[in-house]
């Protein structure tokens, strides 16, 4: 699930700009939407594998493909193949209505875009394409040790061409404290196209427990491959509004799960405690995160 680090790069294309640094104002949601044009959409369906012809096939295990929800979508490094979405993010309620949450190891960076309720191969995405403005990551975040308990991040997005903030268009989940170790969560994410050729949202309902030695939760649910980092862990999910209370995001130790054969079956999430709400306040107030 480790998709991209904001300090240690896994590929040359991992973008810059994490940690609260903004752009110069030239990157807009209108530009992001124009980038998502017919030629890119055609490229996004090339070499999609057997599912491109036969339709999506269910992932083996407990996660299942479904049509997605407006508040959850994919992050792209704009300038690369649009099928190469690298992480999942979701909209959380904020005073300005412009805030996303994801995993801290998911590099947002310059010229990045968020596509809520992403649909592979569709020329017009149902809820648009939104330019990432600023990102906020706790500077103490690490892949291992105590720093992995801080593997969450926020990002603001620019308004669309009509001046609307994203929350007005998609709705939002509510950021709440993790109520305890045992929770019934609905987890929604987008495996990468390389991991899952169907290139479609997956959903799972599972019970959580405490990850020993960390301020993190763990769950067992097959099918959360690379690309699902940042997936929201929701309680009280309402099937009518398609929103819920967000108590965590897929991330944490080792990028959100163990190595080896269990990597897509067992997932982690940092607890929503005082630290995430400190970062939330930094994000809604536009402050550079600083920690002793």
């Amino acid at each position: 699930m480790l998709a991209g680090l904001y300090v240690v790069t896994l590929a040359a294309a991992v973008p810059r700009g994490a940690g609260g640094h903004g752009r110069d104002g030239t990157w807009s949601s209108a530009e992001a939407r124009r980038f998502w044009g017919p030629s890119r959409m055609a490229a996004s369906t090339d070499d999609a594998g057997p599912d491109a012809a036969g339709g999506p096939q269910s992932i083996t295990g407990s996660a299942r493909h479904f049509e997605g929800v407006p508040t959850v979508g994919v992050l792209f490094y704009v300038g690369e193949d649009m099928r190469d979405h690298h992480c999942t993010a979701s909209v959380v309620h904020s005073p300005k209505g412009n805030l996303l949450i994801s995993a801290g190891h998911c590099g947002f960076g310059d010229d990045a875009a968020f596509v809520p309720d992403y649909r592979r191969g569709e020329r017009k995405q149902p809820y648009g394409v939104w330019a990432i403005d600023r990102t906020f990551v706790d500077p103490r975040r690490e892949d291992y040790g105590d720093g992995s308990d801080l593997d969450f991040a926020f990002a603001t997005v620019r308004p669309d061409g009509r001046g609307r903030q994203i929350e007005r268009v998609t709705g939002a989940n509510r950021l709440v404290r993790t109520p305890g170790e045992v929770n019934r969560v609905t987890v929604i994410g987008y495996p990468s196209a390389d991991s899952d050729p169907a290139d479609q949202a997956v959903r799972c309902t599972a019970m959580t427990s405490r990850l020993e030695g960390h301020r993190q939760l763990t769950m067992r649910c097959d099918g959360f491959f690379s690309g699902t980092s940042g997936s929201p862990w929701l309680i009280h999910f309402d099937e009518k509004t398609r929103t819920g209370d967000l108590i965590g995001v897929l991330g944490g130790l080792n990028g959100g799960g163990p190595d080896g054969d269990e990597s897509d079956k067992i997932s982690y999430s940092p607890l929503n405690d005082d630290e995430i709400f400190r970062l939330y306040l930094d994000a809604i107030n536009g402050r550079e995160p600083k920690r002793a």
Side-chain angles (χ1 to χ4, degrees), residues 198-253:
D199 198 15
Q200 186 179 4
V202 298
R203 169 178 169 170
C204 177
T205 299
M207 299 302 295
T208 67
S209 59
R210 185 70 175 264
L211 179 63
E212 188 69 27
H214 292 274
R215 300 197 317 274
Q216 298 178 35
L217 299 178
T218 181
M219 72 159 188
R220 174 175 285 274
C221 188
D222 296 16
F224 281 85
F225 299 100
S226 175
T228 60
S229 289
S231 298
W233 292 30
L234 303 169
I235 61 172
H236 307 141
F237 185 76
D238 187 319
E239 297 292 347
K240 292 183 179 179
T241 66
R242 293 185 288 178
T243 61
D245 293 337
L246 189 149
I247 66 167
V249 294
L250 200 157
L253 183 66

Side-chain angles (χ1 to χ4, degrees), residues 133-242:
D133 184 14
R134 298 186 65 190
T135 59
F136 301 83
V137 180
D138 193 304
R140 299 168 296 172
R141 191 211 70 82
E142 297 177 336
D143 295 331
Y144 305 98
D146 292 343
S148 67
D149 296 334
L150 304 170
D151 191 22
F152 37 71
F154 294 98
T156 55
V157 296
R158 296 185 182 274
D160 67 7
R162 298 167 58 184
R164 298 177 300 176
Q165 299 291 1
I166 191 169
E167 187 173 333
R168 179 180 169 190
V169 177
T170 63
N173 297 305
R174 295 162 296 278
L175 184 70
V176 300
R177 290 182 178 273
T178 306
E181 298 178 4
V182 180
N183 305 278
R184 183 178 183 270
V185 292
T186 297
V187 183
I188 298 169
Y190 284 86
S192 68
D194 290 337
S195 301
D196 174 17
D199 198 15
Q200 186 179 4
V202 298
R203 169 178 169 170
C204 177
T205 299
M207 299 302 295
T208 67
S209 59
R210 185 70 175 264
L211 179 63
E212 188 69 27
H214 292 274
R215 300 197 317 274
Q216 298 178 35
L217 299 178
T218 181
M219 72 159 188
R220 174 175 285 274
C221 188
D222 296 16
F224 281 85
F225 299 100
S226 175
T228 60
S229 289
S231 298
W233 292 30
L234 303 169
I235 61 172
H236 307 141
F237 185 76
D238 187 319
E239 297 292 347
K240 292 183 179 179
T241 66
R242 293 185 288 178

Side-chain angles (χ1 to χ4, degrees), residues 36-37 40-42 44-45 117-126:
W36 185 269
R40 293 283 178 178
M41 289 310 305
S44 77
T45 60
D117 200 6
Y118 162 73
R119 308 292 177 89
R120 176 179 65 87
E122 292 190 11
R123 180 172 300 184
K124 184 177 180 180
Q125 293 297 306

Side-chain angles (χ1 to χ4, degrees), residues 9-10 13 23 29 41 67 72 88 90 101 112 141 143 147 151 162 181 208 223 232 235 237 254 265 281 291:
T9 59
L10 297 183
R23 282 179 45 80
S29 292
M41 289 310 305
E67 68 278 4
V72 184
T88 300
S90 59
I101 189 171
R141 191 211 70 82
D143 295 331
D151 191 22
R162 298 167 58 184
E181 298 178 4
T208 67
I235 61 172
F237 185 76
N254 193 38
K265 300 177 178 64
L281 290 174
R291 303 290 186 266

